[in-house]
Amino acid sequence: MRLLVVEDEARMARALERGLTADGFTVDLAGNGVAGLARAREGQYDAVLLDVMLPGLSGYEVVKRLRSEDNWVPVMMVSAKDGPYDQADGLDYGADDYLTKPFDYVVLLARLRALLRRQSDPRPPVLNHADLCLDPATREVTLAGEAVALSRREYELLEFFLRHPDRVITKTELLDRVWDARGVGYEPNTVEVYVGYLRRKLGSGLIATVRGAGYRLAR
Ligand code: CA
């Protein structure tokens, strides 16, 4: 079993390497998000242990990019409890499991082994909404069986709505999560424009405006 450990804290990285090697794994280390993404793309890993707060490229961005490239290597995210994100964020971005620092090594090992056991069918489930169908594995979208061509951003916006069908989503959240804006560089108007594109391609009733709050997927 070959593992990639992406961790910028050298002491933590070395401790993990020592422990996991002793438990029979082959371990490669990457000290930042860019290096981690490059190694993970090489595709020879059975699982990736991915820290969230990394210099260069966050763990979230790494897992999001892997999934957008149709790379389904099992990913366990590791993050400090007091970080700006929570567990749901990591799983939304495509991580398979999530561990909070500080953790017990024995717990990590058990969760990692469970993760490796479940990998019989790593293909993600297709998302459906009425006669709309989105396949995260192929990034294909169909409406009543007809293929619909979406830009990358339109696709990611639609996927986000389909993954959160039961609640109102604010423009700020969409900017953070779909545009990775974290409050800089984009206007809320950007979201309106892209929601408009989706309505034009997929039907004006798909996404409802909730005045003063945001949007929600129509029921
Ligand atoms: Ca870190």
Side-chain angles (χ1 to χ4, degrees):
M1 287 283 180
R2 196 176 187 91
L3 300 180
L4 174 64
V5 175
V6 189
E7 169 62 73
D8 59 312
E9 291 158 50
R11 252 177 47 189
M12 168 77 102
R14 276 196 303 272
L16 285 171
E17 183 182 32
R18 256 197 318 273
L20 292 166
T21 303
D23 276 303
F25 294 96
T26 302
V27 178
D28 288 339
L29 296 179
N32 62 63
V34 175
L37 179 63
R39 299 300 286 271
R41 275 174 173 157
E42 292 165 12
Q44 78 267 39
Y45 295 103
D46 295 294
V48 178
L49 217 62
L50 183 60
D51 186 30
V52 170
M53 303 304 265
L54 290 166
L57 202 60
S58 78
Y60 288 122
E61 191 58 32
V62 171
V63 74
K64 198 169 129 188
R65 291 198 192 177
L66 287 172
R67 298 316 187 220
S68 76
E69 293 163 12
D70 218 10
N71 182 326
W72 304 102
V73 63
V75 172
M76 180 178 296
M77 303 220 67
V78 181
S79 170
K81 201 182 297 181
D82 54 357
Y85 304 95
D86 63 25
Q87 185 161 344
D89 289 320
L91 301 177
D92 281 348
Y93 281 125
D96 301 279
D97 201 358
Y98 197 103
L99 203 61
T100 303
K101 283 183 193 172
F103 52 80
D104 197 83
Y105 176 75
V106 176
V107 174
L108 167 75
L109 194 60
R111 297 265 291 268
L112 190 57
R113 286 186 167 141
L115 178 64
L116 290 165
R117 273 197 303 274
R118 322 197 265 279
Q119 285 314 307
S120 52
D121 183 16
R123 194 178 205 276
V126 169
L127 303 173
N128 290 294
H129 180 78
D131 54 358
L132 181 67
C133 184
L134 180 150
D135 186 346
T138 60
R139 292 175 75 86
E140 283 167 355
V141 174
T142 59
L143 182 65
E146 297 284 320
V148 181
L150 297 181
S151 71
R152 177 172 160 263
R153 195 72 78 185
E154 291 165 352
Y155 172 88
E156 286 174 4
L157 183 60
L158 177 64
E159 183 175 7
F160 193 84
F161 275 109
L162 292 175
R163 288 193 188 283
H164 303 87
D166 300 322
R167 64 175 177 88
V168 174
I169 302 169
T170 66
K171 288 178 190 172
T172 308
E173 183 177 8
L174 289 169
L175 282 174
D176 281 352
R177 304 293 293 274
V178 178
W179 274 263
D180 286 324
R182 290 273 162 225
V184 285
Y186 293 98
E187 298 291 325
N189 180 41
T190 307
V191 176
E192 286 166 36
V193 169
Y194 275 81
V195 167
Y197 292 156
L198 285 183
R199 284 174 173 155
R200 220 167 300 155
K201 291 184 175 182
L202 301 169
S204 59
L206 176 69
I207 298 166
T209 301
V210 182
R211 206 158 292 282
Y215 302 98
R216 75 176 300 154
L217 202 58
R219 274 171 283 197

